[in-house]
Amino acid sequence: MKATARANANIALVKYWGKRDDELILPMNGSISVTLSGLNTVTTVEFNEKLRNDVFVLNGVEQKGDERKKLGNHLDLVREKAKIKWNARVESKNNFPTAAGLASSASGFAALSVAAAKAAHLELNEKELSILARMGSGSASRSIHGGFVEWQKGTKKDGSDSYAEQIAKPGHWENFRILTTIVSGKEKKVKSRAGMKQTVQTSPMYKGWLETVENDLENVRAGILKKNFSLVGETAEMNALKMHSTMLTTRPAIIYWEPETIEIMHAVQELREEGTECYFTIDAGPQVKVLCLQKNEAIVTARLGEITGLQKIVPCKVGGKAETISEHFF
Ligand code: PMV
């Protein structure tokens, strides 16, 4: 009863920020993302009757406390469905910094869901896998799929209509690039779970967020289908800034940006003024992802490379779906 899966991270072009149900992880608004090639989590899960409790090793370090509890809760969902009682050993590796706003929970819970379902011999379709992954971390619902992906907020109380579906395959937009910058490998101070809850409760801007997000979804969806880069980029950048304005106006204020974050935002604006089209987007952390087309990748990379304090630029194309693989960690 062992299986291994690999899932890619994703970056939202229209963000998920705020829940209407904390338990089932149901969002206040729909979201659209692009799956990233090359930023991934690989996870092996083995259910074993000899284990006295669940064991979780992340990037070579055994996890206790909250992380293990979250993992155990997620495995319980799989155990319930499969009607098994055995504990599991889970080993997981991210090929990028964990919990620094680089969507490790998205690829993490997507890989865990696919591996655990397979190890438990559950035959789940993509909709069921997306729902399972969503219950670990909202953004993980989208990492089940490759390409461009939309997570429907749904309206049902039980969450059965809140799952992600592919809008366009990875090959649909071959020259779309996402330059992921790493400015800080530090763990972020406010995790998105706590941050979004606090925002919904206290930010006076949150109402404006909800009022405008449907329009952003329409624009980004249409822009993807028509491969209209300006429409997708402009909407995504403004959507990220709107989300951050709700964070900044939360009590206590949530400021995810580091000095380098702001420098990159300025550099992107300057590049645009000089005629190189590119846009930025930022999640719940200091990292900036810069969107551009292949023809401008070199010039944007060179400009970003001039920023001191920027540790790394990882160029990503549009990535594929979560899959099981045959090599296990143990
Ligand atoms: O699913 P979580 O808890 O990792 O929250 C993700 C929130 C954002 O990354 C800020 C936005 C998004 O849609 O991915």
XYZ file of all heavy atoms in Angstrom, residues 271-323:
398
model
N 10.202 48.454 -16.926
C 10.322 47.650 -18.152
C 9.153 47.950 -19.092
O 9.329 48.117 -20.299
C 10.356 46.153 -17.814
C 11.716 45.595 -17.385
C 11.548 44.269 -16.638
C 12.624 45.370 -18.604
N 7.970 48.040 -18.524
C 6.784 48.323 -19.352
C 6.889 49.700 -20.002
O 6.588 49.866 -21.179
C 5.512 48.247 -18.515
C 4.976 46.857 -18.360
C 3.463 46.844 -18.207
N 2.990 47.588 -17.053
C 2.804 47.068 -15.841
N 3.063 45.795 -15.618
N 2.343 47.805 -14.858
N 7.337 50.677 -19.193
C 7.496 52.036 -19.740
C 8.488 52.057 -20.900
O 8.372 52.829 -21.823
C 7.955 53.000 -18.648
C 6.793 53.491 -17.782
C 7.233 53.942 -16.387
O 8.424 54.260 -16.206
O 6.371 53.945 -15.498
N 9.480 51.146 -20.803
C 10.499 51.083 -21.872
C 10.020 50.234 -23.062
O 10.767 50.006 -24.005
C 11.791 50.461 -21.312
C 12.496 51.346 -20.295
C 13.397 50.548 -19.336
O 13.699 49.363 -19.622
O 13.773 51.103 -18.294
N 8.820 49.676 -22.956
C 8.264 48.928 -24.090
C 8.373 47.412 -23.994
O 8.020 46.699 -24.927
N 8.856 46.900 -22.839
C 8.915 45.439 -22.656
C 7.715 45.023 -21.814
O 7.633 45.363 -20.631
C 10.227 45.027 -21.938
O 11.316 45.503 -22.720
C 10.324 43.526 -21.776
N 6.811 44.292 -22.420
C 5.586 43.970 -21.699
C 5.797 42.851 -20.679
O 6.222 41.745 -21.017
C 4.462 43.576 -22.678
C 3.116 43.577 -21.977
C 1.938 43.361 -22.906
O 2.140 42.902 -24.046
O 0.807 43.643 -22.458
N 5.531 43.137 -19.416
C 5.585 42.134 -18.352
C 4.738 42.638 -17.185
O 4.449 43.833 -17.097
C 7.030 41.867 -17.913
S 7.942 43.331 -17.391
N 4.322 41.726 -16.346
C 3.429 42.064 -15.225
C 3.862 41.265 -14.008
O 4.460 40.205 -14.154
C 1.975 41.713 -15.578
C 1.484 42.448 -16.797
C 1.616 41.882 -18.069
C 0.943 43.726 -16.690
C 1.201 42.569 -19.206
C 0.520 44.418 -17.816
C 0.657 43.840 -19.069
O 0.255 44.529 -20.187
N 3.534 41.766 -12.815
C 3.890 40.999 -11.616
C 2.646 40.485 -10.906
O 1.548 41.030 -11.068
C 4.745 41.845 -10.651
C 4.062 43.079 -10.120
C 3.128 43.003 -9.090
C 4.366 44.342 -10.642
C 2.511 44.140 -8.594
C 3.754 45.494 -10.146
C 2.827 45.395 -9.128
N 2.849 39.440 -10.119
C 1.811 38.978 -9.211
C 2.502 38.462 -7.954
O 3.648 37.997 -8.018
C 0.876 37.933 -9.850
O -0.132 37.588 -8.886
C 1.605 36.675 -10.283
N 1.839 38.593 -6.812
C 2.444 38.238 -5.516
C 1.394 37.521 -4.669
O 0.262 37.982 -4.574
C 2.896 39.509 -4.749
C 3.775 40.404 -5.644
C 3.623 39.151 -3.461
C 3.979 41.807 -5.088
N 1.780 36.403 -4.048
C 0.872 35.706 -3.134
C 1.100 36.150 -1.691
O 1.599 37.236 -1.463
C 1.052 34.188 -3.280
C 0.313 33.660 -4.502
O -0.576 34.352 -5.000
O 0.636 32.544 -4.939
N 0.783 35.267 -0.763
C 0.919 35.626 0.651
C 2.358 35.428 1.105
O 2.662 34.544 1.906
C -0.040 34.778 1.474
N 3.239 36.252 0.574
C 4.656 36.156 0.910
C 5.406 37.229 0.139
O 4.796 38.015 -0.576
N 6.730 37.262 0.277
C 7.507 38.324 -0.363
C 7.873 38.053 -1.823
O 8.391 38.927 -2.502
C 8.778 38.369 0.490
C 8.953 36.958 0.960
C 7.564 36.401 1.134
N 7.645 36.825 -2.275
C 8.116 36.456 -3.618
C 7.256 37.096 -4.696
O 6.036 37.149 -4.580
C 8.071 34.934 -3.816
C 8.536 34.112 -2.645
C 9.975 34.391 -2.249
O 10.703 35.086 -2.948
N 10.388 33.870 -1.129
N 7.923 37.515 -5.764
C 7.196 38.100 -6.895
C 7.315 37.150 -8.075
O 8.385 36.593 -8.316
C 7.803 39.462 -7.297
C 6.964 40.131 -8.380
C 7.922 40.364 -6.083
N 6.244 36.935 -8.774
C 6.297 36.167 -10.018
C 6.056 37.147 -11.146
O 5.094 37.925 -11.093
C 5.234 35.072 -10.065
C 5.504 33.900 -9.132
C 4.930 34.190 -7.797
C 5.190 33.087 -6.792
N 4.685 33.501 -5.461
N 6.932 37.126 -12.127
C 6.804 38.066 -13.239
C 6.317 37.296 -14.461
O 6.895 36.281 -14.847
C 8.151 38.775 -13.518
C 7.994 39.747 -14.680
C 8.624 39.510 -12.264
N 5.232 37.793 -15.043
C 4.644 37.159 -16.224
C 5.178 37.859 -17.468
O 5.199 39.090 -17.528
C 3.114 37.304 -16.201
C 2.403 36.913 -14.900
C 0.922 37.274 -14.982
C 2.572 35.424 -14.626
N 5.603 37.085 -18.448
C 6.017 37.688 -19.724
C 5.883 36.644 -20.829
O 5.566 35.483 -20.553
C 7.455 38.214 -19.650
S 8.714 36.947 -19.492
N 6.116 37.067 -22.044
C 6.128 36.113 -23.147
C 7.575 35.740 -23.440
O 8.506 36.491 -23.108
C 5.446 36.719 -24.379
C 3.931 36.941 -24.208
C 3.351 37.655 -25.429
C 3.184 35.624 -23.949
N 7.756 34.594 -24.069
C 9.113 34.069 -24.307
C 10.037 35.099 -24.961
O 11.204 35.213 -24.601
C 9.009 32.820 -25.181
C 10.333 32.160 -25.448
C 10.194 30.996 -26.404
O 9.197 30.865 -27.116
N 11.193 30.138 -26.420
N 9.486 35.880 -25.905
C 10.328 36.840 -26.632
C 10.969 37.886 -25.704
O 11.989 38.464 -26.040
C 9.522 37.526 -27.740
C 8.350 38.342 -27.245
C 7.602 39.061 -28.356
C 6.519 39.920 -27.739
N 5.449 40.315 -28.548
N 10.361 38.109 -24.530
C 10.911 39.106 -23.599
C 11.599 38.488 -22.380
O 12.046 39.209 -21.486
C 9.794 40.032 -23.118
C 9.333 40.967 -24.223
O 10.150 41.413 -25.034
N 8.039 41.242 -24.280
N 11.697 37.168 -22.356
C 12.222 36.485 -21.163
C 13.655 36.932 -20.833
O 13.981 37.219 -19.674
C 12.161 34.968 -21.382
C 12.533 34.182 -20.153
C 12.416 32.671 -20.363
O 11.791 32.225 -21.361
O 12.968 31.939 -19.525
N 14.509 37.018 -21.852
C 15.922 37.338 -21.604
C 16.075 38.759 -21.053
O 16.794 38.983 -20.075
C 16.720 37.164 -22.891
N 15.359 39.694 -21.646
C 15.502 41.098 -21.221
C 14.935 41.306 -19.800
O 15.522 42.009 -18.974
C 14.887 42.051 -22.289
C 15.049 43.509 -21.916
C 13.456 41.818 -22.567
C 14.818 44.439 -23.114
N 13.833 40.633 -19.509
C 13.252 40.760 -18.159
C 14.184 40.098 -17.134
O 14.469 40.672 -16.069
C 11.831 40.124 -18.097
C 11.280 40.183 -16.675
C 10.876 40.829 -19.060
N 14.707 38.924 -17.469
C 15.613 38.213 -16.550
C 16.857 39.067 -16.268
O 17.300 39.172 -15.122
C 16.036 36.853 -17.154
O 14.851 36.142 -17.505
C 16.840 36.021 -16.168
N 17.398 39.675 -17.317
C 18.608 40.490 -17.144
C 18.326 41.675 -16.216
O 19.112 41.983 -15.314
C 19.098 40.992 -18.501
N 17.180 42.320 -16.399
C 16.828 43.486 -15.572
C 16.630 43.058 -14.110
O 17.105 43.724 -13.183
C 15.556 44.135 -16.137
C 15.030 45.321 -15.375
C 15.922 46.552 -15.572
N 15.400 47.668 -14.799
C 15.589 47.833 -13.501
N 16.287 46.953 -12.817
N 15.053 48.873 -12.875
N 15.932 41.959 -13.896
C 15.704 41.489 -12.520
C 17.021 41.076 -11.869
O 17.229 41.276 -10.669
C 14.732 40.292 -12.508
C 13.302 40.552 -12.990
C 12.491 39.258 -12.986
C 12.601 41.599 -12.117
N 17.924 40.537 -12.686
C 19.225 40.087 -12.188
C 20.063 41.216 -11.607
O 20.995 40.986 -10.835
N 19.718 42.467 -11.946
C 20.471 43.618 -11.420
C 20.060 43.966 -9.984
O 20.721 44.768 -9.321
C 20.209 44.863 -12.298
C 20.841 44.763 -13.677
C 20.325 45.861 -14.617
O 19.625 46.796 -14.144
O 20.612 45.762 -15.817
N 18.983 43.379 -9.515
C 18.478 43.746 -8.184
C 19.255 42.979 -7.105
O 19.245 41.745 -7.092
C 16.957 43.454 -8.088
C 16.215 44.343 -9.088
C 16.438 43.640 -6.660
C 14.759 44.007 -9.268
N 19.916 43.725 -6.222
C 20.678 43.038 -5.172
C 19.689 42.496 -4.139
O 18.657 43.103 -3.874
C 21.673 43.986 -4.462
O 21.023 45.234 -4.269
C 22.954 44.165 -5.235
N 20.006 41.355 -3.584
C 19.093 40.771 -2.603
C 18.142 39.785 -3.244
O 17.454 39.034 -2.555
N 18.120 39.781 -4.564
C 17.304 38.777 -5.243
C 18.170 37.511 -5.368
O 19.219 37.532 -6.004
C 16.905 39.316 -6.622
C 15.732 38.647 -7.309
C 15.127 39.571 -8.340
C 16.161 37.371 -7.962
N 17.736 36.469 -4.661
C 18.611 35.298 -4.552
C 18.599 34.415 -5.785
O 19.577 33.766 -6.113
C 18.204 34.455 -3.338
C 18.432 35.190 -2.034
C 17.820 34.465 -0.856
O 17.331 33.354 -0.974
N 17.838 35.112 0.291
N 17.453 34.348 -6.439
C 17.321 33.378 -7.506
C 16.140 33.735 -8.392
O 15.145 34.276 -7.913
C 17.016 32.016 -6.850
C 17.608 30.838 -7.564
C 17.413 29.596 -6.719
C 17.632 28.384 -7.597
N 17.311 27.156 -6.927
N 16.267 33.417 -9.681
C 15.109 33.541 -10.583
C 14.896 32.162 -11.183
O 15.806 31.590 -11.779
C 15.382 34.544 -11.723
C 15.756 35.925 -11.150
C 14.173 34.665 -12.649
C 16.290 36.886 -12.186
N 13.713 31.616 -10.986
C 13.414 30.305 -11.570
C 12.418 30.521 -12.707
O 11.266 30.904 -12.460
C 12.804 29.343 -10.523
C 12.602 27.952 -11.114
C 13.672 29.275 -9.273
N 12.847 30.331 -13.960
C 11.904 30.524 -15.063
C 11.009 29.298 -15.222
O 11.500 28.171 -15.250
C 12.822 30.680 -16.284
C 14.106 30.025 -15.903
C 14.180 29.912 -14.416
N 9.705 29.532 -15.292
C 8.774 28.403 -15.441
C 7.932 28.573 -16.698
O 7.544 29.687 -17.060
C 7.816 28.333 -14.261
S 8.630 28.053 -12.684
N 7.623 27.431 -17.311
C 6.625 27.399 -18.379
C 5.323 26.903 -17.755
O 5.259 26.637 -16.563
C 7.076 26.422 -19.462
C 8.351 26.847 -20.156
C 8.673 25.860 -21.259
C 10.050 26.193 -21.809
N 10.502 25.237 -22.800
N 4.324 26.739 -18.585
C 3.061 26.216 -18.084
C 3.249 24.712 -17.846
O 3.698 23.990 -18.739
C 1.933 26.472 -19.108
C 0.599 26.001 -18.552
C 1.882 27.954 -19.468
N 2.944 24.269 -16.639
C 3.248 22.892 -16.242
C 2.077 21.924 -16.370
O 0.943 22.323 -16.642
N 2.392 20.674 -16.135
C 1.412 19.591 -16.286
C 0.718 19.212 -14.984
O 0.982 19.798 -13.930
N -0.134 18.212 -15.083
C -0.982 17.823 -13.948
C -0.227 16.969 -12.924
O 0.891 16.500 -13.187
C -2.179 17.050 -14.453
C -1.832 15.735 -15.127
C -3.116 15.026 -15.521
C -2.809 13.634 -16.027
N -4.008 12.875 -16.307
N -0.862 16.754 -11.777
C -0.296 15.893 -10.738
C -0.387 14.436 -11.203
O -1.409 14.031 -11.760
C -1.081 16.084 -9.441
N 0.684 13.681 -10.972
C 0.695 12.299 -11.463
C 1.401 11.382 -10.483
O 2.295 11.826 -9.760
C 1.504 12.192 -12.750
C 1.072 13.135 -13.806
C 1.815 12.920 -15.111
O 2.996 13.333 -15.181
O 1.216 12.361 -16.026
